[in-house]
Amino acid sequence: MKISVVGTGYVGLVVGACLAENGHEVICVDKDEAKVRALQKGKIPIYEPGLEELVKRNRVEKRLSFTTTLPRAVRQTQIIFIAVGTPEAEDGSADLQHVLGVARDVARAMNGYKVIVDKSTVPVGTAEKVREVIRRETTHPFSVVSNPEFLKQGAAVNDFLKPDRVVIGAEDPRGAELMKELYAPFTRTGAPIMVMDCASAELCKYAANAMLATRISFMNEVARVCDLYGANVDEVRRAIASDTRIGSAFLFPGVGYGGSCFPKDVKAILKFAKDKGYDFKILDAVEDVNQAQKNVLVEKIQKHFGSLKGKTLAVWGLAFKPRTDDMREAPAITIINSLLKAGAKVQAYDPEATETARRVLGNKITYTKKSYDALTGADGLALVTEWNEFREPDYARMKKLMRQPVVFDGRNIYSPAQMKAQGFTYFSIGR
Ligand SMILES: NC(=O)c1ccc[n+]([C@@H]2O[C@H](COP(=O)([O-])OP(=O)(O)OC[C@H]3O[C@@H](n4cnc5c(N)ncnc54)[C@H](O)[C@@H]3O)[C@@H](O)[C@H]2O)c1
């Protein structure tokens, strides 16, 4: 099939590359000229494991191309994915200006039947708004389909190629059938393609993210209580995770969730529930707990040192999670700003997010090219993102480099017993 994907960010580029990998002819459209120029030369603007290889191969095979010109892409293709950003607006709602702007531009360029697919995460009722915008601009026939994306940054390619399920919201059979055909190769292993009305499809994405965020905040509160009573959250987690009604995923306490999705999606569902007069109380609490959790590590650091004036803290991990260079809403930002405000100096290392961090934090902190360089002369290490390379460090080398062997582990990746045996003063979350 011939497909356009509008928006070549963390979602659009993965969608485009994976569809091309399955033999489709894909044109990726973005308004960011620099990004498109780079992609046309085979340079990937983001870090996402496995993506570069996919983009290069499909570009060479001429199944994947990049442009800033939307109308030509629309005329040459039948299915048009909208994968632009839906950032948080001032009132907490999802800002739809990019989605609706693209819908309008697509409509103006239509030259026959098209399927317009909402891939961006959008509030309930958006498919109807997209439909209205298009109807105003064209007399050509079209279907609007809601197709929320569940991929995880850091494992996005694999998630798209082997989805747990595909959700399709459609109001007419023609659009639904084309989408089922498109996704058939990705669901051969038996993953279901679920066709439903657009409102339900739109809500699926928010309900999924809100549930995951709730599990995280819930476990962060359990960890707080563990800290108060000297219980071990690892033991508690393992015990409750073995209950098949609960399961083991997303039960790890830490420094709070971040990223481009959970924070804004939780706020958006709160807002669109409130718009209909419903107060989604649990999610209010989930958000509050998460904000507070971003400061838990700094509270532990301050409690240990008393004053942070003149202290140097090493920070390992800046990205909002491992295997991405994305720092949108990353807990590291809150943690580092609090450390700086308290008078500390920060030396940070991240395997992939240093360039992003320079844009976000500027030269307020020092960035190192190697993990151990961040430890030189440090009074303590704050582990903020659980990249694999931090899991089995050379403890003797760490101690030699640090002024004081103190580790604040925001992701519970080290064993308290082992840290003690290695001679570290060690703090973690709920243990
Ligand atoms: N990042 C994730 O893990 C993830 C997962 C599932 C769903 N989503 C949702 O997918 C959507 C996109 O997220 P993302 O992380 O890829 O965002 P992103 O910011 O990485 O990418 C968005 C891209 O859209 C482009 N763009 C904006 N307006 C445009 C326009 N008018 N024409 C052409 N291009 C335009 C931007 O230049 C940018 O490259 C959001 O709604 C998000 O909530 C994200």
Side-chain angles (χ1 to χ4, degrees), residues 12-222:
L13 190 55
V14 171
V15 171
C18 290
L19 289 172
E21 180 73 4
N22 265 266
H24 299 294
E25 224 174 278
V26 182
I27 308 175
C28 285
V29 185
D30 205 289
K31 64 177 185 182
D32 182 334
E33 286 178 19
K35 201 180 243 187
V36 169
R37 260 200 312 275
L39 285 162
Q40 284 169 336
K41 289 187 199 135
K43 286 199 190 114
I44 312 295
I46 53 170
Y47 173 74
E48 182 58 49
L51 184 59
E52 185 164 6
E53 184 197 334
L54 224 58
V55 170
K56 281 192 175 150
R57 181 167 55 242
N58 286 287
R59 208 177 61 87
V60 170
E61 296 294 333
K62 304 227 179 305
R63 286 191 296 259
L64 184 62
S65 60
F66 301 93
T67 181
T68 51
T69 317
L70 177 77
R72 209 168 61 213
V74 171
R75 284 194 294 273
Q76 289 174 2
T77 55
Q78 185 171 43
I79 299 180
I80 298 122
F81 279 88
I82 303 180
V84 297
T86 45
E88 186 185 326
E90 258 175 36
D91 62 359
S93 64
D95 182 348
L96 290 179
Q97 60 164 315
H98 305 294
V99 169
L100 297 178
V102 170
R104 184 201 57 216
D105 295 346
V106 167
R108 287 180 182 168
M110 275 165 58
N111 56 348
Y113 173 73
K114 309 281 172 188
V115 184
I116 295 95
V117 186
D118 244 334
K119 183 52 107 179
S120 300
T121 301
V122 289
V124 180
T126 304
E128 194 42 49
K129 284 187 183 155
V130 168
R131 220 170 269 127
E132 274 166 30
V133 166
I134 299 175
R135 218 179 276 130
R136 273 204 299 272
E137 301 288 338
T138 184
T139 51
H140 287 293
F142 66 91
S143 304
V144 170
V145 170
S146 172
N147 173 220
E149 181 50 56
F150 298 95
L151 63 76
K152 305 179 285 295
Q153 282 175 238
V157 170
N158 197 50
D159 285 349
F160 192 84
L161 293 174
K162 295 180 197 145
D164 291 336
R165 64 353 205 148
V166 173
V167 170
I168 293 167
E171 305 299 339
D172 68 87
R174 193 175 177 186
E177 285 311 311
L178 267 169
M179 292 301 286
K180 276 170 39 187
E181 205 182 309
L182 181 75
Y183 275 108
F186 299 93
T187 52
R188 281 207 187 94
T189 49
I193 297 181
M194 302 172 173
V195 180
M196 58 188 78
D197 61 279
C198 285
S200 304
E202 288 164 338
L203 194 52
C204 285
K205 175 66 190 173
Y206 285 101
N209 276 357
M211 168 66 99
L212 295 170
T214 303
R215 283 173 77 103
I216 294 174
S217 278
F218 176 81
M219 280 312 287
N220 282 334
E221 292 218 280
V222 171

Side-chain angles (χ1 to χ4, degrees), residues 83-402:
V84 297
T86 45
E88 186 185 326
E90 258 175 36
D91 62 359
S93 64
D95 182 348
L96 290 179
Q97 60 164 315
H98 305 294
V99 169
L100 297 178
V102 170
R104 184 201 57 216
D105 295 346
V106 167
R108 287 180 182 168
M110 275 165 58
N111 56 348
Y113 173 73
K114 309 281 172 188
V115 184
I116 295 95
V117 186
D118 244 334
K119 183 52 107 179
S120 300
T121 301
V122 289
V124 180
T126 304
E128 194 42 49
K129 284 187 183 155
V130 168
R131 220 170 269 127
E132 274 166 30
V133 166
I134 299 175
R135 218 179 276 130
R136 273 204 299 272
E137 301 288 338
T138 184
T139 51
H140 287 293
F142 66 91
S143 304
V144 170
V145 170
S146 172
N147 173 220
E149 181 50 56
F150 298 95
L151 63 76
K152 305 179 285 295
Q153 282 175 238
V157 170
N158 197 50
D159 285 349
F160 192 84
L161 293 174
K162 295 180 197 145
D164 291 336
R165 64 353 205 148
V166 173
V167 170
I168 293 167
E171 305 299 339
D172 68 87
R174 193 175 177 186
E177 285 311 311
L178 267 169
M179 292 301 286
K180 276 170 39 187
E181 205 182 309
L182 181 75
Y183 275 108
F186 299 93
T187 52
R188 281 207 187 94
T189 49
I193 297 181
M194 302 172 173
V195 180
M196 58 188 78
D197 61 279
C198 285
S200 304
E202 288 164 338
L203 194 52
C204 285
K205 175 66 190 173
Y206 285 101
N209 276 357
M211 168 66 99
L212 295 170
T214 303
R215 283 173 77 103
I216 294 174
S217 278
F218 176 81
M219 280 312 287
N220 282 334
E221 292 218 280
V222 171
R224 291 274 198 139
V225 178
C226 286
D227 268 342
L228 292 172
Y229 279 93
N232 182 339
V233 74
D234 275 349
E235 305 291 2
V236 178
R237 179 180 53 77
R238 283 195 303 135
I240 64 172
S242 62
D243 186 325
T244 49
R245 293 169 303 177
I246 296 173
S248 59
F250 267 79
L251 289 184
F252 289 86
V255 288
Y257 58 77
S260 68
C261 293
F262 288 2
K264 82 167 170 59
D265 292 351
V266 166
K267 284 182 205 127
I269 191 169
L270 271 164
K271 177 69 172 66
F272 67 71
K274 203 159 267 168
D275 288 346
K276 292 277 184 194
Y278 186 72
D279 191 6
F280 206 140
K281 293 193 190 74
I282 288 179
L283 292 184
D284 251 333
V286 166
E287 248 307 286
D288 284 352
V289 169
N290 195 56
Q291 284 311 323
Q293 194 68 19
K294 288 184 179 179
N295 276 316
V296 162
L297 207 62
V298 177
E299 284 161 18
K300 287 176 190 266
I301 294 170
Q302 279 180 318
K303 193 168 167 205
H304 175 73
F305 288 114
S307 164
L308 288 183
K309 290 218 163 58
K311 294 280 183 291
T312 299
L313 267 298
V315 171
W316 273 3
L318 296 164
F320 84 90
K321 67 172 182 173
R323 294 178 293 283
T324 185
D325 58 349
D326 196 347
M327 280 189 68
R328 289 178 282 187
E329 304 273 332
I333 302 172
T334 310
I335 290 169
I336 288 173
N337 282 331
S338 299
L339 291 174
L340 294 174
K341 204 168 157 208
K345 236 181 82 194
V346 173
Q347 304 176 161
Y349 167 78
D350 187 283
E352 294 292 339
T354 306
E355 281 319 304
T356 320
R358 279 187 212 280
R359 289 196 294 274
V360 178
L361 295 161
N363 53 13
K364 289 192 282 191
I365 63 171
T366 309
Y367 305 95
T368 64
K369 287 204 173 102
K370 294 190 178 131
S371 54
Y372 290 97
D373 290 349
L375 302 177
T376 308
D379 295 286
L381 163 66
L383 185 297
V384 177
T385 316
E386 69 279 30
W387 286 90
N388 280 344
E389 67 173 76
F390 301 143
R391 286 180 188 271
E392 292 292 335
D394 179 339
Y395 296 111
R397 189 171 168 198
M398 287 171 79
K399 273 200 305 194
K400 213 182 259 172
L401 291 167
M402 294 174 77

